[in-house]
Amino acid sequence: MDAFVDKKKFWLFEKINYSPKFGEPKPETPFISGKAIPYLGKNYKLDVVQDPIDGISFQGKFLISQQNLQDGKAILEQWYKQKAKEKIVPLVERYAKQLGLTYNNILISDLKYRWGSCTLKGNLNFNWRLIKAPQFVIAYVVVHELAHLIELNHSERFWNVVRIQMPNYLEAKEWLRVNGEVVF
């Protein structure tokens, strides 16, 4: 048992002294015309309109009705969650098929400190905020979590699986490192 603990002491030290990848959430800017809203790696302008709109609309820019402004943050979050599901689920299906893998469930949720996770039961969890990142970054996180169904750690074998599926994975990792806090 002591040999096991000794072997894992660096890992244990990292986990005990873990600091979140992202700082405290930044104060929200108000929902006003001209506000920049990130989606798939780009910022789009928000237009507040007088016409009634159910929820939020995206037409090369975001549109929200004046009457929905008070609930704008919640409405946008719901829209993001729906779009994240629409983008992530097909990617999981595609890459799982390529890798010959099966998974249990896909959950799009509010992960506080992660972009994604994979459970021992084969459940894949993804942060809805990923929808703010470019598509190649979303694909990288999907491949990363699927690779954990093959290799539960970040060993050389794990990174080989990721590298084969996503040759530009280092670019995606760097994008998350540089921009992660901004879109989180």
Side-chain angles (χ1 to χ4, degrees):
M1 183 69 167
D2 288 339
F4 175 79
V5 172
D6 194 46
K7 184 178 176 183
K8 297 291 185 179
K9 68 182 172 187
F10 182 73
W11 179 86
L12 287 167
F13 177 79
E14 280 186 327
K15 296 302 175 192
I16 290 169
N17 296 300
Y18 173 76
S19 61
K21 292 179 184 176
F22 315 105
E24 290 299 313
K26 293 173 182 45
E28 285 289 321
T29 56
F31 268 65
I32 56 173
S33 286
K35 174 185 171 93
I37 298 181
Y39 176 54
L40 296 176
K42 296 180 181 174
N43 283 324
Y44 295 92
K45 186 177 116 180
L46 174 69
D47 272 349
V48 178
V49 297
Q50 296 301 317
D51 300 332
I53 296 174
D54 186 29
I56 201 159
S57 176
F58 180 74
Q59 302 166 7
K61 62 183 174 181
F62 287 93
L63 301 170
I64 190 167
S65 176
Q66 179 74 36
Q67 68 190 28
N68 292 334
L69 223 45
Q70 186 173 350
D71 300 319
K73 181 180 175 185
I75 291 169
L76 180 61
E77 187 174 314
Q78 276 306 115
W79 186 88
Y80 275 145
K81 287 177 180 176
Q82 180 59 40
K83 293 301 176 187
K85 186 176 183 179
E86 289 173 14
K87 296 285 185 191
I88 292 171
V89 170
L91 283 173
V92 170
E93 291 169 351
R94 181 177 123 207
Y95 284 108
K97 185 176 180 180
Q98 281 179 209
L99 289 163
L101 297 172
T102 58
Y103 53 87
N104 192 18
N105 290 313
I106 301 170
L107 183 65
I108 310 295
S109 61
D110 191 6
L111 302 178
K112 297 294 182 193
Y113 303 110
R114 298 175 178 208
W115 293 113
S117 67
C118 174
T119 71
L120 292 174
K121 293 183 178 182
N123 294 321
L124 302 168
N125 302 300
F126 297 97
N127 193 321
W128 62 263
R129 290 173 184 85
L130 269 174
I131 199 63
K132 299 176 186 181
Q135 292 189 52
F136 79 97
V137 174
I138 298 169
Y140 159 70
V141 174
V142 166
V143 168
H144 183 109
E145 298 313 327
L146 283 168
H148 281 307
L149 294 174
I150 298 168
E151 192 70 29
L152 293 174
N153 53 43
H154 291 111
S155 66
E156 187 175 330
R157 182 174 179 231
F158 169 87
W159 289 112
N160 282 337
V161 170
V162 173
R163 187 178 303 108
I164 289 166
Q165 296 300 310
M166 295 284 309
N168 65 339
Y169 82 98
L170 289 174
E171 184 182 343
K173 281 181 69 171
E174 180 65 8
W175 191 97
L176 286 171
R177 188 188 69 74
V178 171
N179 299 291
E181 194 168 322
V182 174
V183 297
F184 209 86

